[in-house]
């Protein structure tokens, strides 16, 4: 960290002679409904005399802007004006934006729509999704305290969004309104991205670090209900990541260096035609060096890559190529000083080798009254896990887990979006080819023996290999319109999905998915909204491809999991930059998968580094989550910005032999506050506070744990007492300070980001182990003899996981 500070300040003083604080804002203004260029639109930069008018192609370019954060207003005759807050202008990178304006008057149909003509730029709702929706801009993501430029962490400040308490913020598991981590879907410029985290849990989604490069992102939209019918396979949320377009005017880039990573991003034109641009980035992790410095026995190491190419084929047709990929390695090293906690970490986790990628191409073609999209993509996720009695060796002992799996999807999506007689209509279809391979050798539990070594209960083992191939198909339609002088909005949608693998998968009536959303503008400041919808999700491929020890596929009788949402809420917007929302929600789950081995709902799992769904299941479980949430947001107008969110909820699932019991995500209380302030001389500070109520956890089966610990490295849970205990509440605060220097075509940003700066404890369920000797070289036994393989002479011990975890990060960003 000292070396980073010396280097950053050396850069600041070296570049000082080239001081020139002006930057450039450029971009294009388009019609939101028709995606056509809006010529003659006015772009005005507040607190200055600078402005521009778009040309016939909707483009604009404003030069000579003093570096800083600005409020920008965009207006055009016949359109509702909008305001963009906290728009960063720097001397290093030109800020290139695509701005969408919404029509006030539908001139094509000669229908005059009376509107309140409100500029509600903090508003995130749409006709299809009038509630349960939030947006974040790139500046809000970059400046988020404790976010470390990771979108998955930043969104945990939004209402209804929590993380897995067992890791106290270490992982990026996204829990939306009490749903499990695998209930969310992610789209990057309309291309589905199955994996957005490094070291992802297969069958789920979480991991310790995000993959997506925040320098690519223009904004993020999170919908936690009232989903547009175009989105399939979601039960809890849809994330839409909108990427920037590469700069058409010049080549530019930025380099970010911190104690944990090095990242480089470049964008610019390709050729001189002015029709093609690119963005490209690569990132290298240094977490393994940090963990070595603090003497942790685990060594996570990763790379990620991302690109986007945009080419204007004609005035009406645009081609976009994109890709994102990652390489992950999770290994072990002997600690310099052994402790029970470090030794437990060594043998309780598997070594991980992962790689994944998504590549895609999409074409958008403008029509007389709308546009169509055609998207073709391919993604692969390769996951290899290995675990031994002694992961470090040199004598590793029994191989308790050898897992190698690959999932590949080839997807084709087509949708049409248009306006007709005042109705907003969309419809489309998708087809996928899915291929999965799975080679599993896993010891679930060791054989139980008596004192004479006789086997009382045989070992439980999974041992199979196989491939599956299947087709997935879907179709949707969505239609909406505004009535009563634009005050009443109604949108309805219908979707069906099919697959060629499960026994009833080709029956479209099994996944008939209707939804309807209504909104009514009560006054200029208040809007009332409600929605009802039924949504379906296919089982993880890990479950569909699972075979028993006779190599027979046993889950072909599985059904899609369903979730029915009932949502109502009110939005209050006293000013263009201020927004308050209050919502109540109820989600009913049906056909939830339950493990036939331990009788536990799979929706209680997915928040660790194992594999979700690789077992025999039955889809007869149920679940429910209900509660309310409050959200307040103040966009940056002068110097201050902030958000406050609070959610109270109950999350419950049934298991094989129980009624509704608390789920593993049942925090009950989620509170988050983020505030920021911009000082003089380019200093900025952000502060975040989070509170999560304690979550349920399952105690250990002491007899089974004693039998299995020496081989498996972990205790065995007592599923007869599923989630019968609860951790204490979790709270933490993060702080971030930035100082920026602006030079001639170069910007330097020095930042300090401290996670959990006031050293709060991070409560998590305890870990089962045996008592060790003083020097941690072995185990203490009751008879002073070597420890027996079945642990009968060991002394059980529960390791507390309430340690303080603080992560200080210092780094800098150079834009050029």
């Amino acid at each position: 960290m000292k070396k980073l500070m010396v280097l950053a300040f050396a850069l600041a003083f070296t570049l000082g002679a080239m001081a020139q604080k002006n930057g450039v804002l450029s971009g294009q203004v388009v019609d939101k409904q028709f995606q056509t260029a809006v010529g003659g639109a006015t772009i005005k930069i507040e607190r200055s005399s600078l402005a521009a008018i778009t040309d016939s192609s909707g483009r604009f370019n404003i030069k000579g802007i003093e570096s800083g954060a600005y409020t920008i207003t965009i207006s055009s005759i016949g359109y509702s004006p909008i305001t963009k807050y906290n728009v960063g202008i720097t001397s290093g990178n030109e800020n290139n934006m695509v701005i969408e304006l919404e029509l006030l008057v539908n001139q094509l149909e000669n229908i005059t729509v009376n509107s309140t003509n409100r500029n509600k730029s903090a508003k995130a709702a749409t006709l299809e999704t009038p509630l349960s929706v939030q947006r974040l801009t790139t500046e809000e993501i970059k400046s988020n305290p404790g976010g470390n430029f990771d979108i998955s962490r930043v969104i945990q400040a939004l209402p209804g969004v929590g993380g897995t308490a067992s890791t106290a913020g270490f992982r990026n598991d996204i829990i939306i309104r009490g749903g499990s981590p695998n209930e969310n879907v992610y789209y990057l410029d309309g291309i589905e991205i199955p994996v957005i985290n490094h070291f992802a849990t297969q069958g789920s989604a979480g991991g310790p670090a995000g993959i997506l490069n925040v320098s690519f992102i223009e904004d993020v939209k999170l919908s936690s209900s009232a989903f547009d019918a175009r989105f399939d396979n979601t039960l809890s949320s849809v994330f839409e990541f909108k990427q920037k377009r590469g700069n058409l005017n010049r080549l530019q880039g930025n380099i970010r260096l911190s104690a944990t990573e090095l990242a480089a991003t470049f964008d610019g034109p390709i050729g001189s035609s002015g029709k093609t641009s690119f963005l490209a980035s690569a990132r290298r992790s240094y977490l393994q060096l940090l963990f070595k410095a603090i003497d942790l026995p685990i060594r996570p190491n990763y790379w990620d890559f991302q690109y986007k190419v945009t080419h204007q084929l004609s005035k009406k047709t645009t081609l976009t190529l994109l890709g994102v990929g990652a390489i992950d390695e999770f290994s072990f090293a002997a600690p310099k000083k052994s402790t029970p906690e470090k030794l437990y970490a060594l043998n309780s986790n598997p070594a991980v080798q992962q790689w994944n990628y998504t590549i895609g191409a999409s074409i958008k073609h403008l029509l007389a009254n709308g546009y169509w999209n055609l998207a073709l993509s391919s993604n692969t996720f390769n996951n290899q896990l290995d675990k031994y009695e002694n992961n470090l060796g040199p004598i590793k002992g029994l191989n308790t887990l050898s897992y190698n799996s690959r999932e590949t999807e080839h997807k084709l999506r087509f949708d049409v979006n248009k306006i007709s007689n005042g109705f907003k209509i969309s419809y489309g279809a998708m087809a996928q080819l899915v291929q999965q391979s799975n080679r599993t050798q896993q010891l679930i539990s060791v054989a139980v023996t008596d004192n004479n070594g006789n086997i009382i209960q045989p070992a439980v083992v999974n041992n199979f290999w196989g491939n599956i191939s299947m087709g997935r198909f879907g179709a949707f339609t969505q239609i909406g319109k505004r009535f009563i002088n634009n005050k009443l909005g109604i949108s309805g949608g219908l979707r069906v999905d099919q697959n060629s693998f499960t026994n009833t998968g080709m029956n479209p009536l099994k996944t008939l998915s209707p939804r309807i959303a209504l909104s009514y503008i009560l006054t200029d400041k208040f809007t009332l909204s409600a929605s009802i919808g039924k949504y379906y999700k296919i089982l993880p491929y890990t479950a569909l491809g699972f075979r028993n020890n006779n190599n027979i596929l046993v889950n072909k009788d599985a059904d899609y999991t369903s979730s029915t949402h009932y949502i109502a809420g009110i939005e209050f917007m006293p000013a263009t930059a201020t927004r308050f929302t209050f919502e109540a929600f109820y989600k009913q789950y049906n056909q939830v998968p339950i493990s036939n081995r331990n009788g536990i709902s799979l929706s209680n799992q997915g928040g660790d580094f194992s594999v979700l769904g690789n077992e025999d299941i039955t889809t007869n479980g149920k679940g429910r989550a209900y509660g309310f949430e409050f959200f307040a947001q103040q966009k940056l107008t002068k110097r201050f910005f902030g958000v406050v969110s609070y959610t109270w909820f109950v999350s419950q699932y049934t298991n094989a032999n129980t009624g509704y019991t608390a789920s593993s995500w049942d925090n009950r209380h989620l509170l988050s506050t983020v505030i920021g302030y911009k000082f003089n001389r380019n200093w900025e500070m952000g502060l975040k506070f989070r509170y999560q109520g304690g979550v349920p956890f399952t105690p250990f089966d002491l007899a089974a744990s004693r039998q299995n610990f020496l081989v498996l490295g972990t205790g065995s849970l007592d599923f007869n007492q599923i989630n019968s205990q609860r951790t204490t509440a979790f709270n933490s605060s993060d702080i971030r300070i930035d100082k920026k220097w602006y030079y001639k075509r170069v910007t330097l940003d020095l930042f300090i980001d401290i996670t959990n700066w006031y050293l709060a404890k991070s409560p998590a369920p305890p870990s089962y182990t045996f008592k060790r000797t003083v020097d941690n070289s072995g185990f203490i036994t009751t008879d002073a003899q070597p420890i027996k393989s079945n642990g009968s002479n060991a002394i059980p011990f529960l390791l507390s996981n309430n340690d303080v975890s603080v992560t200080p990060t210092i780094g800098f960003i150079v834009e050029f």
Side-chain angles (χ1 to χ4, degrees):
M1 290 189 182
K2 290 180 180 179
K3 292 180 180 178
L4 284 175
M5 290 204 55
V6 171
L7 179 58
F9 281 113
L11 280 170
F13 288 113
T14 301
L15 297 171
M18 303 187 296
Q20 179 177 321
K21 298 185 177 181
N22 292 341
V24 179
L25 175 68
S26 62
Q28 185 181 28
V29 180
V30 299
D31 183 292
K32 185 175 182 179
Q33 283 78 25
F34 302 116
Q35 293 295 295
T36 53
V38 178
T42 300
I43 296 90
K44 178 172 174 49
I45 299 177
E46 304 294 337
R47 297 188 292 110
S48 79
S49 59
L50 297 173
I53 296 177
T54 60
D55 61 19
S56 59
S57 61
R59 300 192 180 278
F60 66 92
N61 189 289
I62 306 175
K63 299 180 179 179
I65 309 170
E66 184 175 354
S67 296
Y70 289 90
T71 299
I72 298 173
T73 301
I74 306 96
S75 60
S76 183
I77 296 174
Y79 290 89
S80 176
I82 66 170
T83 303
K84 298 282 187 180
Y85 298 97
N86 198 15
V87 177
I89 304 297
T90 70
S91 56
N93 283 178
E94 179 178 321
N95 192 336
N96 188 272
M97 308 174 68
V98 176
I99 301 166
E100 295 181 329
L101 293 181
E102 193 164 5
L103 276 169
L104 286 175
V105 179
N106 189 337
Q107 297 173 334
L108 288 175
E109 305 294 344
N110 295 318
I111 298 173
T112 300
V113 180
N114 296 320
S115 171
T116 54
N117 197 25
R118 302 178 299 168
N119 179 347
K120 298 299 186 184
S121 299
K123 190 176 182 70
T126 63
L127 178 63
E128 299 83 6
T129 310
L131 76 174
S132 302
V133 59
Q134 311 291 341
R135 285 185 183 273
L136 290 172
T137 67
T138 182
E139 291 298 324
E140 290 169 329
I141 297 169
K142 289 178 180 178
S143 61
N144 186 273
N148 198 27
F149 307 98
D150 192 331
I151 297 170
S152 298
R153 292 183 182 273
V154 173
I155 62 98
Q156 293 187 22
L158 297 178
V161 184
T164 44
S166 62
T167 54
F170 176 65
R171 283 173 54 91
N172 288 346
D173 301 293
I174 299 173
I175 312 300
I176 306 290
R177 290 177 170 176
S180 67
N182 72 335
E183 296 180 7
N184 316 303
V185 294
Y186 311 93
Y187 285 83
L188 188 66
D189 287 344
I191 302 291
E192 186 178 2
I193 308 292
V195 181
I196 66 166
N197 286 299
H198 291 283
F199 306 104
T201 301
Q202 190 174 0
S204 188
I211 293 175
L212 298 181
N213 184 350
V214 68
S215 296
F216 277 51
I217 304 301
E218 191 162 290
D219 68 52
V220 180
K221 178 182 175 182
L222 165 63
S223 305
S224 49
S225 192
F227 309 128
D228 191 312
R230 74 183 65 241
F231 300 115
D232 66 299
N233 221 38
T234 179
L235 299 178
S236 279
S237 77
V238 176
F239 286 82
E240 298 174 72
F241 302 101
K242 180 182 177 183
Q243 296 187 106
K244 300 177 180 178
R245 291 183 183 177
N247 186 10
L248 285 170
N249 300 317
R250 71 175 179 92
L251 178 66
Q252 61 185 19
N254 69 71
I255 294 177
R256 184 173 74 244
L257 177 64
S258 71
T260 59
E261 64 181 21
L262 171 64
T265 303
F266 296 91
D267 71 294
I270 297 178
S272 57
S273 65
K275 295 182 178 181
T276 310
S277 65
F278 81 95
L279 296 102
S281 74
R283 179 171 57 158
R284 170 77 156 88
S285 163
Y286 291 114
L287 277 176
Q288 73 276 23
L289 300 180
L290 175 63
F291 283 25
K292 181 179 180 180
I294 60 179
D295 198 29
L296 288 180
I298 56 178
R299 297 288 187 270
N301 181 28
Y302 62 79
W303 290 78
D304 57 52
F305 314 90
Q306 196 168 335
Y307 72 86
K308 178 182 179 180
V309 176
T310 305
H311 177 63
Q312 195 77 33
L313 294 172
S314 67
K315 287 185 178 181
K316 291 186 175 182
T317 308
T318 303
L319 170 67
T320 300
L321 307 174
L322 61 82
V324 58
I327 302 172
D328 305 330
E329 179 186 9
F330 187 97
S331 57
F332 303 96
K336 296 177 182 178
K337 182 180 180 180
S338 295
T339 66
E341 291 79 10
K342 294 176 184 178
L343 294 173
Y344 178 84
L346 271 176
N347 291 322
S348 61
N349 295 296
V352 180
Q353 299 280 344
Q354 285 186 2
W355 56 264
N356 70 84
Y357 69 83
T358 299
I359 55 174
S362 65
I363 295 177
K364 176 181 287 186
H365 180 73
L366 305 184
L367 305 171
N369 58 347
Y371 61 94
W372 57 256
N373 287 309
L374 176 66
L376 179 66
S377 66
S378 179
N379 55 264
T380 295
F381 176 67
N382 194 89
N383 188 24
Q384 181 178 335
L385 307 176
D386 287 287
K387 188 169 178 288
Y388 294 85
E389 285 185 77
N390 183 2
N391 278 325
L392 268 183
I395 301 175
K396 292 190 174 184
L398 184 65
N399 185 191
T400 59
L401 174 63
S402 177
Y403 178 85
N404 200 322
S405 176
R406 180 176 298 181
E407 298 176 355
T408 299
E409 297 174 311
H410 305 290
K411 302 177 183 180
L412 177 67
R413 296 178 185 270
F414 180 75
D415 59 81
V416 178
N417 309 268
K418 57 185 180 181
I419 303 289
S420 179
N421 295 319
F423 285 90
K424 186 177 181 181
I425 303 169
S426 62
Y427 55 88
M430 71 86 175
Q432 298 184 30
L433 173 63
V434 179
Q435 296 169 312
Q436 192 239 23
S437 65
N438 188 339
R439 179 70 175 94
T440 296
Q441 289 181 296
Q442 181 181 15
L443 177 63
I444 303 297
S445 61
V446 300
V448 178
T449 60
D450 60 22
N451 292 333
N452 296 320
N454 299 313
I455 296 178
I456 301 174
Q457 181 178 315
V460 179
V461 178
N462 285 341
N463 189 352
F464 70 89
W465 177 89
N467 302 296
I468 64 169
S469 181
M470 60 185 287
R472 289 178 55 191
F473 318 96
F476 78 93
T477 184
Q478 185 96 23
I479 183 169
K481 183 177 171 61
R482 298 192 182 276
F483 303 90
I484 314 177
N485 294 326
N486 211 31
K487 291 185 175 182
L488 174 64
I490 302 176
S491 182
L494 188 66
R495 180 175 187 92
V496 294
D497 288 283
Q498 300 169 279
N499 77 83
S500 63
F501 180 80
T502 60
N503 295 340
T504 59
M506 292 303 291
N507 183 355
L509 298 180
K510 297 278 287 186
T511 60
L512 195 62
S513 176
R515 75 270 327 259
I516 187 169
L518 302 94
S519 62
Y520 188 81
I521 300 174
L522 299 172
T523 70
D524 187 53
K525 296 180 173 61
F526 287 93
T527 301
L528 185 66
S529 302
S531 73
I532 301 174
K534 189 167 189 176
Y535 314 105
Y536 285 90
K537 178 180 176 61
I538 197 170
L539 259 63
Y541 299 140
T542 50
L544 296 179
F546 176 79
R547 298 169 184 261
N548 62 20
N549 291 340
N550 295 320
N551 228 41
I552 297 173
L553 293 165
V554 296
N555 291 329
K556 297 194 70 171
D557 59 346
D559 291 314
Y560 284 71
T561 302
S562 71
S563 180
T564 304
H565 293 201
Y566 305 88
I567 317 290
I570 190 167
E571 180 181 67
F572 172 54
M573 297 190 65
T576 60
T578 308
R579 177 174 176 242
F580 299 89
T581 65
F582 180 86
E583 294 184 13
F585 59 89
Y586 185 94
K587 301 193 294 184
Q588 177 65 53
Y589 294 88
N590 288 292
Q591 298 163 189
V592 177
I594 290 179
S595 167
N596 285 329
R597 175 172 54 84
N598 55 35
I600 302 306
S601 171
L602 263 62
S603 292
N604 278 316
Q605 304 173 36
D608 55 22
F609 291 97
S610 61
V611 175
L612 175 69
N614 195 34
E615 56 184 306
D616 185 7
I617 56 92
T618 302
T619 52
N620 60 1
K622 295 181 180 295
R624 61 189 179 193
Y626 55 89
F628 64 85
E629 61 188 33
F630 168 79
F631 179 67
Q633 180 180 36
Q634 173 62 49
K635 293 277 189 177
L636 177 72
T637 51
K638 294 182 180 179
R639 294 181 180 272
F640 172 81
F641 64 91
V643 298
V644 177
S645 67
Y646 171 74
T647 305
W648 176 88
F649 70 96
V650 173
S651 174
Q652 300 172 324
Y653 290 97
T654 63
N655 300 289
N657 300 314
T658 67
Y660 283 103
T661 58
S663 79
S664 299
W665 332 112
D666 185 39
N667 295 92
R668 299 295 172 96
H669 302 280
L670 297 174
L671 174 65
S672 180
T673 301
V674 179
I675 59 175
Y677 194 84
K678 294 183 180 289
F679 299 91
N680 293 327
R681 306 182 68 85
N682 305 318
W683 285 91
E684 302 175 19
M685 185 179 76
L687 190 67
K688 177 167 66 178
F689 173 79
R690 288 180 300 149
Y691 174 91
Q692 290 187 181
V695 293
F697 68 92
T698 303
F700 292 104
D701 181 327
L702 298 182
S705 296
R706 182 188 290 269
Q707 289 273 352
N708 286 277
F709 176 75
L710 289 178
V711 175
L712 300 182
T714 61
S716 302
L717 300 179
D718 183 359
F719 292 114
N720 291 321
Q721 302 184 62
I722 178 72
N723 289 338
S724 60
Q725 299 185 20
R726 190 177 288 264
T727 66
T728 57
F730 163 72
N731 69 89
S732 176
S733 181
D734 310 326
I735 188 170
R736 180 185 171 100
I737 299 173
D738 286 75
K739 166 62 178 173
K740 296 180 180 179
W741 290 269
Y742 301 107
Y743 307 105
K744 184 178 180 179
R745 298 190 66 167
V746 176
T747 298
L748 175 63
D749 179 359
L750 176 66
F751 63 88
I752 299 174
D753 198 335
I754 305 176
T755 302
N756 192 24
W757 62 270
Y758 64 60
L759 307 180
K761 291 185 176 182
S762 302
S767 302
Y768 183 95
T769 185
F770 292 153
K771 274 193 176 183
R772 292 184 175 270
T773 58
V774 175
D775 61 359
N776 292 300
S777 61
F779 294 104
I780 300 174
T781 59
T782 56
D783 55 8
Q785 297 298 312
I787 193 166
K788 296 180 180 180
S789 60
N790 63 4
S792 59
N793 61 342
I795 302 176
F797 179 69
L798 294 182
L799 278 175
S800 173
N801 286 322
N802 294 328
D803 296 333
V804 172
S805 176
V806 59
T807 307
T809 300
I810 184 170
F812 62 84
I813 306 168
V814 180
E815 297 181 357
F816 50 89

